[in-house]
Amino acid sequence: MLTKNRTVFTELGTEAIEKGLADPQLSAFYESMMSSSGLVSEKLREHMPYLSLCSDKLEGIGPPPIFYVGRRSSQRHLFGEDWAMQQGQELRTPDPDLEEASAAAYRAALEERPYYGYARTAIHMEDKVVDIAFERLIIALRPSPKSDRRFCAYFGVIQDLQQL
Amino acid sequence: MQTPPFIISEIHVPNQLKPRADNVVKLKAEVDKHNLTDMWDMILMLDYQVANVHELSSETREEFCCIIALLLKAFTK
């Protein structure tokens, strides 16, 4: 049982992945991307269903807007199909507090190195509040060697989820 | 009495759900204009496993267009 009203966002560092402490699928994604030096290759294909992708645009207090939500990704599982396919405005997670708390990890991934961390928090959605614990890996990738664009790939693994 | 064969082309799809060719063309032009062509190609190749958007079915092309619309918003707004 999670401790209510206790929010934690902490970086564990990719060393924890290398020591075998992370989720196996997340670890496979990390190793695959490291072996291709952060460049998109065919190796990314098998991981696409589990990823959310967002831009490299860091403005204000939130993380970059999302443009792709994998069919089996943790964000689609958490926020639902309608959220994942919504149109009309930039796609962002529905809780402003979550947006603000998660932004630093994207900044670290874009400016320094891949971010691997653990989080536990309450998320406020339109019709419910959930307590969630998850690990997350964020890696900045380049779609091709010549591209001046980068994007963030987010691999989240929900460890515990309880509706309040 | 024998059941008639099931013909996919006879399924009614509301007009608002049909991907319009001009929508795809406009999106591609915007993507090229904003230097996001690599991203377009990446999503097509890795997720949909085709090289050209016209190889997608109507329904899948519509889904792809939704992703591209979000891509443009995420990088350009």
Side-chain angles (χ1 to χ4, degrees), chain A:
Chain A
M1 182 84 180
L2 298 174
T3 306
K4 289 178 184 174
N5 300 323
R6 185 170 171 204
T7 293
V8 176
F9 281 82
T10 188
E11 181 169 11
L12 301 173
T14 52
E15 298 80 8
I17 303 174
E18 289 154 10
K19 288 176 183 170
L21 300 174
D23 172 82
Q25 238 172 340
L26 181 150
S27 300
F29 170 62
Y30 172 75
E31 286 163 16
S32 182
M33 293 306 100
M34 289 305 99
S35 69
S36 54
S37 305
L39 269 178
V40 167
S41 71
E42 280 291 320
K43 291 177 182 175
L44 186 60
R45 187 194 305 275
E46 68 177 291
H47 304 287
M48 288 289 277
Y50 304 96
L51 300 177
S52 298
L53 308 180
C54 62
S55 77
D56 59 353
K57 196 178 71 175
L58 278 166
E59 291 173 0
I61 56 171
I66 301 160
F67 61 87
Y68 176 92
V69 186
R71 293 168 185 82
R72 301 176 71 179
S73 69
S74 62
Q75 289 189 326
R76 188 179 290 260
H77 174 72
L78 183 60
F79 301 128
E81 294 289 330
D82 290 344
W83 169 83
M85 295 306 293
Q86 68 179 267
Q87 296 289 298
Q89 53 189 334
E90 290 179 337
L91 183 56
R92 294 183 180 279
T93 62
D95 185 334
D97 291 336
L98 175 67
E99 286 281 292
E100 188 173 349
S102 63
Y106 290 87
R107 187 174 300 282
L110 283 164
E111 295 178 356
E112 298 168 31
R113 59 185 185 280
Y115 176 97
Y116 173 65
Y118 170 83
R120 184 172 64 194
T121 189
I123 298 179
H124 296 257
M125 291 183 260
E126 198 170 296
D127 55 347
K128 61 184 174 185
V129 180
V130 297
D131 234 348
I132 185 170
F134 58 99
E135 55 188 292
R136 57 181 177 151
L137 171 65
I138 304 167
I139 304 181
L141 299 173
R142 205 174 286 282
S144 74
K146 293 179 181 173
S147 178
D148 60 359
R149 291 288 191 187
R150 287 193 308 160
F151 64 95
C152 287
Y154 170 97
F155 196 121
V157 179
I158 296 173
Q159 294 180 342
D160 196 7
L161 179 63
Q162 293 174 39
Q163 189 162 341
L164 299 179

Side-chain angles (χ1 to χ4, degrees), chain A residues 40-41 44-45 48 53 55-57 65-68 71 84-91 143-144 147-151, chain B residues 34-36 38-39 42-49 60 62-63 65-77:
Chain A
V40 167
S41 71
L44 186 60
R45 187 194 305 275
M48 288 289 277
L53 308 180
S55 77
D56 59 353
K57 196 178 71 175
I66 301 160
F67 61 87
Y68 176 92
R71 293 168 185 82
M85 295 306 293
Q86 68 179 267
Q87 296 289 298
Q89 53 189 334
E90 290 179 337
L91 183 56
S144 74
S147 178
D148 60 359
R149 291 288 191 187
R150 287 193 308 160
F151 64 95
Chain B
H34 293 287
N35 200 19
L36 291 165
D38 286 338
M39 305 292 287
M42 177 189 80
I43 295 166
L44 260 189
M45 294 289 289
L46 294 183
D47 190 354
Y48 295 96
Q49 303 185 36
T60 311
E62 184 71 15
E63 183 186 272
C65 285
C66 289
I67 293 172
I68 295 302
L70 287 173
L71 174 77
L72 284 164
K73 289 187 183 84
F75 278 94
T76 65
K77 291 285 169 74

Side-chain angles (χ1 to χ4, degrees), chain B residues 11-35:
Chain B
I11 296 173
H12 174 71
V13 178
N15 279 335
Q16 65 269 26
L17 295 182
K18 291 179 180 171
R20 300 201 322 255
D22 60 340
N23 190 31
V24 174
V25 171
K26 282 178 187 170
L27 282 171
K28 183 63 166 67
E30 281 295 300
V31 161
D32 291 343
K33 177 181 159 188
H34 293 287
N35 200 19

